[in-house]
Amino acid sequence: MPLEDEPKESQPQSEQAANDDGSPEGASQSGNDPLDSSGEGEVLMKRQRQHSPSPSPMFHGGLSGLQASPHRHKTFEELITAAGLVKNMALAHEIVVDGNFKLSPRELPKNTIVKQVHDVIHKAFWDSLSAQLAEDPPSYGHAVTLIGEIREILLSLLLPHHDKLKTQILEAMDLDLIRQEAEHSALDVSRLASFVVSIMSKLCAPVRDEEIAKLGTLTEPVELFREIFRVLDLMKVDMANFTLQSLRPHLQQQSVEYERKKFQEFLQTQQDGLLYTRQWLEQTAESLQARLNEQQELRRRQNQEWQTASSSSPEGATSSSPGSGPMISPGTILNHAYVSLLYRNPDDALSYPETVLMDQGRFHEMGSQARKLVLVGSVLLVTYTNTGSLLAGIQGFPSQLKHNLFVLLDGVRDFAAAIDNVAEQACKEVNECLKEHGFAEFEPLRMEAMKSQICALANKENHIYSILDSRLQGYLVSAITAPSRFDPAANIPPGLTTVQSQLVDIAKAFIRLVVHNRSVFGPFYAEILSKMVQPQLSS
């Protein structure tokens, strides 16, 4: 999720350091690359072995080609170096296509040796600090070290225009003077802590105001130091996320060029690096043409029946033959091809189109969510068809039923296996609602009939399910046909208004993903589609 508010003292932060040490090298290491352990990486390496006559330098040592530092233009180089954030294509791609991408504070897994060692070491340090401060006279060795670290963190959070704050920090936290005061047992830890908290209150985002206020109530030095470091860690993450927001427009522009360049390098290592992309588009075109032919055939038969009934053909009427009619445009083919990815079998990983391979998991998850919306919308439609006007005016019933159905289907991949539970839940809530509002409960036979209709929705050929699914597909095709002019909330298909908010979220994510993919791989799609359409033009 985006940062709630920008830091109070901040301006556009393209020059703000995000790493602890300001080094871009700490942002991502190849050993931690998202592609290292991903299914996409494994598939790409398998394809490399299948189609390439010799090892490719791009994939030397796994997916090094996809992990390598991007080709940077000077402006982009300065932005990235200053932010210390994005170093490889996988991370840049993730930031661009995921509008909710954000960094989170690092948390060690519970009940692990690493977590135990971490806790023991930290406890020992804080216990040692407490013992030093309790001595008579106090010993400030650890305290001076902590003050030095806090000073460096505060300085790292400053922007170039924070000259006044920088001067205040350097003067109030002069380490040489602090060491001299510590040696003479004259160090005022409380005064320094108060100063640090005041500086933090000026640099933090408003979302951290409550945390800062709590710091002002602490009087025990060890607890105060510990909480200062905790809040500073949160502030560093806040600043990094705000910097990501500032960088996103630059990333969107540069990521397109960079991803296309790296994919072109990949193609140079392959005998046919667009094999599955071409098959994907060809299959979509064939499917669309078959559907168009069926519609034309249906109209032809209807015309024949009408002409037979009237015993004469109207003046100017012409008969159409199967296969004739308007040609399917390349844009239509590509838009329907994108939607088809939502319904693609995840087991077909090795034949997944190369140009969308990096987003295979995202398309699959989005497709699962879309099918869940269709199922829930279908269940609600069947429920209201059976209850008629009895429950139509009861406020809160549809939203409550919808919520419970989503909870029931949360994490479910095989909807057919869960449909009995869905039907049982819907019938149960209908009867409870009827009883609560003074209506007679459904008779067992009527309830069984309703349950049977809901269970039938597990079949994708079911009339209600197939209609809503077709409308959803048309909705998504319209969304990516003219994304800049499409308002997801104003174009909800009939029958799916009950799941409007969830459908709008899917549409926005789908638009963002497709727009980026089309920007990167548009030239490759255009070349393939032009060759597919050219024979139709010549014929």
Side-chain angles (χ1 to χ4, degrees):
M1 296 175 61
L3 183 63
E4 288 86 343
D5 296 279
E6 83 175 69
K8 298 171 185 171
E9 293 284 340
S10 68
Q11 297 293 329
Q13 300 186 22
S14 60
E15 298 181 5
Q16 172 62 37
N19 288 338
D20 296 355
D21 57 0
S23 168
E25 311 308 323
S28 175
Q29 299 296 333
S30 60
N32 297 325
D33 196 288
L35 288 180
D36 277 346
S37 57
S38 67
E40 293 88 338
E42 182 179 353
V43 170
L44 279 172
M45 287 188 288
K46 287 182 179 178
R47 290 186 183 174
Q48 176 69 17
R49 292 193 295 268
Q50 291 175 352
H51 300 294
S52 179
S54 60
S56 164
M58 177 183 176
F59 289 92
H60 178 69
L63 285 177
S64 58
L66 289 180
Q67 299 164 2
S69 298
H71 173 75
R72 302 181 178 101
H73 295 288
K74 183 177 180 181
T75 303
F76 191 55
E77 169 83 24
E78 293 171 350
L79 287 169
I80 296 303
T81 301
L85 292 173
V86 181
K87 186 182 175 184
N88 59 58
M89 183 177 73
L91 183 56
H93 179 83
E94 189 73 19
I95 294 171
V96 169
V97 301
D98 184 357
N100 295 323
F101 181 90
K102 64 176 292 186
L103 301 174
S104 300
R106 181 172 178 262
E107 295 184 3
L108 296 175
K110 296 182 179 179
N111 301 323
T112 62
I113 295 179
V114 175
K115 171 68 172 173
Q116 294 174 5
V117 171
H118 174 274
D119 291 346
V120 168
I121 293 176
H122 276 246
K123 184 178 184 304
F125 177 83
W126 294 116
D127 288 346
S128 177
L129 175 63
S130 180
Q132 285 188 356
L133 295 179
E135 294 176 4
D136 188 17
S139 174
Y140 296 107
H142 287 340
V144 172
T145 301
L146 292 179
I147 292 170
E149 293 181 7
I150 291 173
R151 187 182 88 148
E152 293 306 312
I153 295 175
L154 290 177
L155 292 174
S156 74
L157 293 175
L158 297 179
L159 294 174
H161 69 279
H162 287 154
D163 294 330
K164 185 177 180 180
L165 285 179
K166 182 177 181 180
T167 301
Q168 291 177 2
I169 294 172
L170 292 176
E171 289 179 352
M173 303 182 74
D174 185 334
L175 293 183
D176 291 334
L177 179 60
I178 289 173
R179 291 190 186 97
Q180 292 178 15
E181 292 176 344
E183 291 173 359
H184 295 84
S185 300
L187 181 62
D188 190 344
V189 175
S190 298
R191 179 189 63 80
L192 281 172
S194 298
F195 171 79
V196 168
V197 172
S198 68
I199 294 296
M200 291 171 63
S201 67
K202 296 176 182 178
L203 292 176
C204 76
V207 70
R208 301 300 172 196
D209 283 347
E210 186 176 346
E211 300 275 2
I212 299 296
K214 290 180 181 178
L215 293 179
T217 65
L218 301 178
T219 57
E220 203 282 313
V222 174
E223 183 181 6
L224 179 56
F225 270 121
R226 184 159 41 198
E227 286 301 296
I228 284 176
F229 273 97
R230 184 184 66 82
V231 177
L232 283 175
D233 284 341
L234 295 176
M235 290 175 59
K236 288 190 292 184
V237 174
D238 290 343
M239 195 67 77
N241 282 322
F242 181 76
T243 305
L244 280 178
Q245 287 184 334
S246 302
L247 283 175
R248 183 169 275 116
H250 301 282
L251 286 174
Q252 289 173 335
Q253 177 183 356
Q254 299 294 336
S255 181
V256 168
E257 179 181 344
Y258 173 63
E259 288 187 47
R260 187 186 300 159
K261 174 180 178 292
K262 300 309 292 185
F263 188 77
Q264 186 66 57
E265 293 177 4
F266 162 73
L267 292 181
Q268 294 173 359
T269 70
Q270 305 296 300
Q271 294 179 355
D272 188 356
L274 289 168
L275 171 64
Y276 300 114
T277 300
R278 187 166 53 255
Q279 291 179 357
W280 165 54
L281 296 176
E282 289 173 347
Q283 290 168 1
T284 302
E286 292 172 0
S287 176
L288 287 174
Q289 189 62 58
R291 194 183 313 168
L292 180 60
N293 290 344
E294 289 177 2
Q295 295 173 352
Q296 289 179 323
E297 177 64 17
L298 179 61
R299 287 196 296 268
R300 186 183 67 82
R301 291 179 180 177
Q302 290 174 341
N303 287 338
Q304 286 181 341
E305 293 174 358
W306 184 84
Q307 292 173 11
T308 300
S310 61
S311 301
S312 62
S313 175
E315 184 178 357
T318 58
S319 61
S320 60
S321 58
S324 64
M327 184 177 59
I328 303 173
S329 69
T332 299
I333 295 174
L334 183 58
N335 290 335
H336 280 81
Y338 279 124
V339 174
S340 73
L341 292 173
L342 304 180
Y343 297 84
R344 196 178 183 93
N345 190 336
D347 295 332
D348 298 336
L350 285 177
S351 62
Y352 210 80
E354 296 87 351
T355 53
V356 290
L357 189 59
M358 189 175 292
D359 294 307
Q360 178 182 358
R362 187 173 277 107
F363 275 115
H364 175 62
E365 179 60 28
M366 206 175 291
S368 178
Q369 293 299 321
R371 290 190 294 276
K372 185 186 299 184
L373 293 188
V374 173
L375 179 59
V376 171
S378 300
V379 171
L380 293 174
L381 191 59
V382 169
T383 300
Y384 274 95
T385 300
N386 279 272
T387 58
S389 60
L390 291 178
L391 302 180
I394 298 179
Q395 187 175 6
F397 173 74
S399 58
Q400 180 64 34
L401 177 57
K402 179 179 70 173
H403 170 76
N404 292 339
L405 292 178
F406 276 122
V407 170
L408 194 61
L409 293 171
D410 185 39
V412 174
R413 297 298 178 184
D414 185 1
F415 296 145
I419 195 64
D420 288 339
N421 293 335
V422 170
E424 192 69 36
Q425 180 70 26
C427 292
K428 175 185 174 183
E429 294 198 33
V430 166
N431 264 343
E432 289 179 351
C433 187
L434 289 172
K435 183 178 179 180
E436 180 182 347
H437 289 83
F439 298 108
E441 296 183 29
F442 280 179
E443 299 176 355
L445 287 178
R446 186 175 181 183
M447 189 60 69
E448 283 299 321
M450 176 178 159
K451 189 181 298 183
S452 177
Q453 292 177 35
I454 294 177
C455 289
L457 298 173
N459 183 357
K460 295 180 181 179
E461 302 301 322
N462 177 271
H463 186 62
I464 295 176
Y465 183 94
S466 61
I467 287 178
L468 293 189
D469 187 54
S470 177
R471 289 175 181 174
L472 182 140
Q473 292 186 45
Y475 169 79
L476 293 178
V477 168
S478 299
I480 60 177
T481 298
S484 61
R485 300 193 301 271
F486 186 83
D487 181 1
N491 294 275
I492 302 297
L496 292 171
T497 53
T498 52
V499 291
Q500 174 173 341
S501 60
Q502 293 85 355
L503 186 56
V504 168
D505 289 342
I506 287 181
K508 290 180 178 178
F510 188 64
I511 289 172
R512 186 184 301 110
L513 188 58
V514 168
V515 166
H516 180 73
N517 183 272
R518 193 157 45 195
S519 298
V520 174
F521 300 103
F524 303 104
Y525 295 141
E527 183 178 357
I528 294 173
L529 291 169
S530 64
K531 293 179 180 178
M532 290 169 52
V533 174
Q534 194 62 37
Q536 301 181 44
L537 293 174
S538 59
S539 60

